[in-house]
Amino acid sequence: MSIVVRNPGTGEPLGEVPDLDADAVVAAIADAQKGQRAMAAMPGHERAALLRRVADLIEGEAESLASLLASENGKPLMQCRGEVEAAVRIWRGYSAEATRLFGRQTPMDAVPGMERHLAVTIREPLGVVAALVPFNYPVELYSHKAAAALAAGNAVIVQPPAKCPLALVRVAELVDEAGAPEFAHQVVTGGVAVSTTLAEAPGVAAISLTGSTNAGRAIARLASGTLKKVFLELGGNDAMIVCDDADVEAAATAVTLGRLARGNGQICCAVKRVYVQDGVHDAFVAELSAQAAKLVVGDQMDDGTDVGPLITEQAAEEVENAVGRLVGEGARLVVGGGRRGSFVDPVVLVDVPVESPTFAEEIFGPVAPIARFSDPREAAALVSDSPYGLHASVFTRDVSRAFTLAKLLDVGGVIVNGSTAIRAENLPFGGTKDTGGYREGLHETVLDFTRQKTVLVMEAFG
């Protein structure tokens, strides 16, 4: 059996990958044990050099990888170029982390009677790490998982997204070309059977998933049977608060570029709810509407395109239906809303009731719903009253107000005077509540993919 990969805009077949069954995945897990032993035996400087070689090879094929990713994913080509550039930085960043897996010495004279003993901790790899990668930013998010796993001396088994696996299949070939030990880095393509087997198998020490909250819950339940470590970066319904003293044009641009024209709106940390204070509401709506109306929807391979096709026509239909529900719940459509196959014209809605059930859920597409507020603390409470807690954004010129609201918001990250759709690889990224609670980043993930061992030397000091 195989999976045919198609251009989401044209339906043109781009290639195919095997649809592996559970037996094939179990065999890959068995092979990975050998690869992990080879990675664990590799000195840190050699692991670092391996990751640098991978980064160089990705950089050498940056344009072809970006083109392949755009064709199968639907994101505009320019954005895919940026994603590949981020992946290169991530591999290089983790190459440095491979030489910084520090242990520590603990003073045993803090415990009566143990003054003459010496205790140190050392970092060891977990074993085999399974990486489950989403469709929206596959090359970048894969890099965080695979590079971190290899940097720490683990083997990694990667499940790329079934709808757009081709770029990651090519990157896997580059990892082999860079000299990774046999079976240290494997790609297993397919659907639910692959994910389920990786989550349940005792030969997998840890599983890292970026995906929906429902998928995260399912993986966590399956993984609990073998007590493997589970790292989850899940859904979000990120909000922006625009206060009366905000730079209205900058705030509107942050929604345009961080939601409507970034990843075709299919980003977990994109602005999905906009709360605007009464005094600037009308000016903000006018500015955002004007910007949204100018966005070019079309072929993702054209450099002039701002918004390409969503990953599937079904995904576009779900966005269209969500917009219809918002209107049915009292919102007013100001801009956009048309759908042609997988393409959705960017949407701006106003007068959205804050109690709207649809407003409370993540809409994965280019939609900007706007609600009013009068008191910034009220807005912070509305933002926090959500099952999700990835990012939030606050636009204000008042520094004290910015920090006050940042402290009140129940989220993993607050961006002041900028879009929520931002991720720097050297910052911890993740959220609270149903967003999963995990933090992924250069300095965090490589440590999470290790375990500490304590060595206690008795009577070390005479």
Side-chain angles (χ1 to χ4, degrees):
M1 298 270 307
S2 63
I3 297 171
V4 177
V5 183
R6 298 182 183 276
N7 182 312
T10 66
E12 172 193 3
L14 301 171
E16 58 182 59
V17 296
D19 187 3
L20 298 177
D21 60 16
D23 290 341
V25 178
V26 168
I29 293 170
D31 288 337
Q33 313 307 316
K34 308 170 195 172
Q36 196 278 314
R37 288 192 289 271
M39 284 303 303
M42 187 182 292
H45 68 88
E46 291 186 12
R47 295 198 303 274
L50 169 63
L51 269 62
R52 288 194 299 271
R53 291 194 297 272
V54 173
D56 291 344
L57 289 169
I58 294 174
E59 189 172 46
E61 293 194 11
E63 186 61 25
S64 61
L65 281 170
S67 180
L68 177 57
L69 177 59
S71 67
E72 64 173 339
N73 171 278
K75 283 206 307 285
L77 179 57
M78 185 176 297
Q79 296 178 31
C80 290
R81 291 186 182 116
E83 178 176 349
V84 175
E85 290 170 2
V88 172
R89 294 196 307 271
I90 290 166
W91 280 89
R92 287 181 177 148
Y94 280 112
S95 73
E97 294 302 314
T99 64
R100 299 171 183 159
L101 295 171
F102 302 121
R104 68 174 186 265
Q105 184 264 322
T106 300
M108 294 310 297
D109 59 359
V111 181
M114 302 191 75
E115 294 85 353
R116 298 197 312 208
H117 307 335
L118 173 67
V120 297
T121 62
I122 56 177
R123 292 272 179 182
E124 297 181 336
L126 293 176
V128 175
V129 175
L132 278 56
V133 182
F135 75 83
N136 55 348
Y137 277 78
V139 176
E140 179 177 348
L141 299 180
Y142 147 85
S143 297
H144 266 295
K145 302 175 192 304
L150 296 175
N154 301 285
V156 60
I157 300 177
V158 179
Q159 182 184 11
K163 296 181 180 68
C164 56
L166 300 180
L168 289 192
V169 170
R170 177 56 189 154
V171 172
E173 294 170 351
L174 297 179
V175 175
D176 289 340
E177 186 179 329
E182 187 179 21
F183 304 129
H185 180 283
Q186 300 178 78
V187 170
V188 287
T189 53
V192 175
V194 172
S195 307
T196 299
T197 305
L198 290 172
E200 291 180 327
V204 174
I207 188 162
S208 177
L209 165 74
T210 300
S212 71
T213 296
N214 287 338
R217 288 195 177 101
I219 290 297
R221 283 193 294 268
L222 293 170
S224 66
T226 52
L227 298 179
K228 58 171 57 69
K229 289 183 176 291
V230 179
F231 305 105
L232 302 174
E233 198 277 288
L234 308 176
N237 195 14
D238 291 10
M240 176 185 287
I241 298 173
V242 183
C243 298
D244 276 347
D245 65 339
D247 181 331
V248 170
E249 183 179 355
T253 300
V255 176
T256 302
L257 299 183
R259 169 58 164 173
L260 302 179
R262 178 71 65 84
N264 306 332
Q266 300 169 121
I267 307 177
C268 59
C269 61
V271 178
K272 300 185 179 77
R273 295 177 288 157
V274 186
Y275 296 90
V276 185
Q277 198 163 5
D278 293 328
V280 293
H281 177 273
D282 293 350
F284 175 85
V285 170
E287 179 64 32
L288 177 59
S289 299
Q291 293 187 21
K294 295 176 183 177
L295 294 174
V296 177
V297 181
D299 183 354
Q300 70 268 32
M301 308 307 292
D302 186 339
D303 277 339
T305 294
D306 298 306
V307 184
L310 272 64
I311 190 65
T312 63
E313 185 168 355
Q314 179 183 350
E317 289 174 352
E318 290 173 359
V319 171
E320 182 182 40
N321 292 337
V323 171
R325 289 195 301 273
L326 282 168
V327 171
E329 292 163 358
R332 179 166 57 90
L333 182 64
V334 177
V335 173
R339 181 180 70 83
R340 298 168 302 286
S342 300
F343 295 87
V344 174
D345 294 331
V347 176
V348 176
L349 298 124
V350 297
D351 301 332
V352 178
V354 294
E355 68 276 8
S356 158
T358 307
F359 195 41
E361 289 301 321
E362 181 177 34
I363 300 175
F364 225 52
V367 179
I370 302 169
R372 288 178 179 267
F373 72 88
S374 56
D375 179 357
R377 286 178 176 267
E378 168 201 352
L382 290 169
V383 171
S384 298
D385 185 21
S386 168
Y388 306 103
L390 185 48
H391 277 174
S393 171
V394 177
F395 269 81
T396 179
R397 290 183 171 94
D398 185 328
V399 172
S400 177
R401 175 183 289 163
F403 277 102
T404 298
L405 294 178
K407 188 173 182 179
L408 291 172
L409 291 165
D410 186 2
V411 295
V414 178
I415 295 84
V416 178
N417 295 331
S419 169
T420 60
I422 186 170
R423 180 171 184 178
E425 58 270 12
N426 61 338
L427 292 177
F429 180 85
T432 61
K433 299 173 285 189
D434 285 0
T435 299
Y438 177 51
R439 298 295 182 273
E440 192 171 66
L442 290 182
H443 312 301
E444 286 74 28
T445 306
V446 71
L447 293 180
D448 287 334
F449 287 176
T450 66
R451 61 190 178 205
Q452 293 190 77
K453 177 180 284 183
T454 301
V455 179
L456 179 61
V457 182
M458 308 298 286
E459 303 296 331
F461 302 108

